[in-house]
Amino acid sequence: MKHVRKVFEEETSESDTENVSFQESDEDDSRIECEEETMQIDEDLSKILVNDFVLVKFATKTTIKYFVGQGEEISENEYFINFLKMIRKYAFVFLEKKDASHVSQEDVILKLPNPKTDDKATTVRSASIFKFNVSFGGFNMGH
C-alpha cells in the first residue's frame, strides 16, 4: 500500500519505513562523503560564522542523532542554531515555527558546505529547499 505525503507530494511505501535503522553507524564519523571529495571534520570550529550551516550532535539515553542547522548567534563556547527539517535525502527546509536552540561548541560536529537552492523554482516551497552536496550516510539523522 502506498502513502502520499500531501505536504511535499512524495510517495513512500510501508517497506521504506520498515527498514529504517535507529542505531548509530559503525562508519568513521570523522568523515562525510561529498560528490567531489571526502571532507574531514574541521577541528577548528572557530571558523563557523553567523549564517553558516552546521551538523549538530544530540545525544539521548539510547542513541545519538544529528541535525542540520544554521548559526544565528555565535559566541566563544556556544552557538544559537536554527534547525532545518530533513524532507528527503540531502534536502532540508526551515520549519514555519522556528526550531532553534543554544548548543555547546562541542556538539557542533562540522561546518557544512553552502547548500544549493533552485534559482529557477516556480513556487515558494520549492525555492525554500536547501540541498547539500553531502552524503549523511554515516550519521543517524534526525527529522
Side-chain angles (χ1 to χ4, degrees), residues 11-23:
E11 289 190 10
T12 60
S13 68
E14 287 182 22
S15 62
D16 290 342
T17 57
E18 291 172 3
N19 296 328
V20 175
S21 171
F22 293 101
Q23 298 300 317

Side-chain angles (χ1 to χ4, degrees), residues 117-136:
T117 56
D118 187 356
D119 296 335
K120 298 175 184 173
T122 57
T123 66
V124 173
R125 184 181 356 180
S126 61
S128 64
I129 296 174
F130 296 91
K131 295 180 182 178
F132 292 91
N133 189 22
V134 173
S135 170
F136 296 102

Side-chain angles (χ1 to χ4, degrees), residues 8-120:
F8 298 107
E9 299 175 356
E10 183 178 330
E11 289 190 10
T12 60
S13 68
E14 287 182 22
S15 62
D16 290 342
T17 57
E18 291 172 3
N19 296 328
V20 175
S21 171
F22 293 101
Q23 298 300 317
E24 193 164 2
S25 170
D26 291 334
E27 292 182 27
D28 181 6
D29 283 349
S30 66
R31 300 179 312 129
I32 61 174
E33 300 294 328
C34 290
E35 284 185 14
E36 292 130 18
E37 62 185 77
T38 298
M39 292 183 0
Q40 292 292 331
I41 291 178
D42 189 354
E43 298 296 329
D44 184 10
L45 296 175
S46 65
K47 297 177 184 175
I48 295 174
L49 305 172
V50 171
N51 294 325
D52 282 344
F53 289 88
V54 293
L55 186 65
V56 179
K57 172 179 71 172
F58 280 95
T60 66
K61 289 182 180 181
T62 57
T63 63
I64 296 176
K65 291 208 176 215
Y66 297 87
F67 295 87
V68 171
Q70 185 178 34
E72 290 193 352
E73 295 176 25
I74 309 295
S75 66
E76 188 174 321
N77 297 318
E78 188 174 77
Y79 302 116
F80 186 68
I81 305 293
N82 186 15
F83 292 98
L84 292 92
K85 177 181 179 178
M86 184 169 66
I87 58 171
R88 60 183 174 268
K89 194 174 186 178
Y90 312 116
F92 298 81
V93 295
F94 284 108
L95 297 172
E96 285 184 35
K97 183 178 178 186
K98 191 176 200 175
D99 180 15
S101 173
H102 288 277
V103 297
S104 67
Q105 183 178 12
E106 64 191 34
D107 291 329
V108 176
I109 303 303
L110 68 122
K111 177 181 171 183
L112 294 170
N114 288 331
K116 295 178 183 179
T117 56
D118 187 356
D119 296 335
K120 298 175 184 173

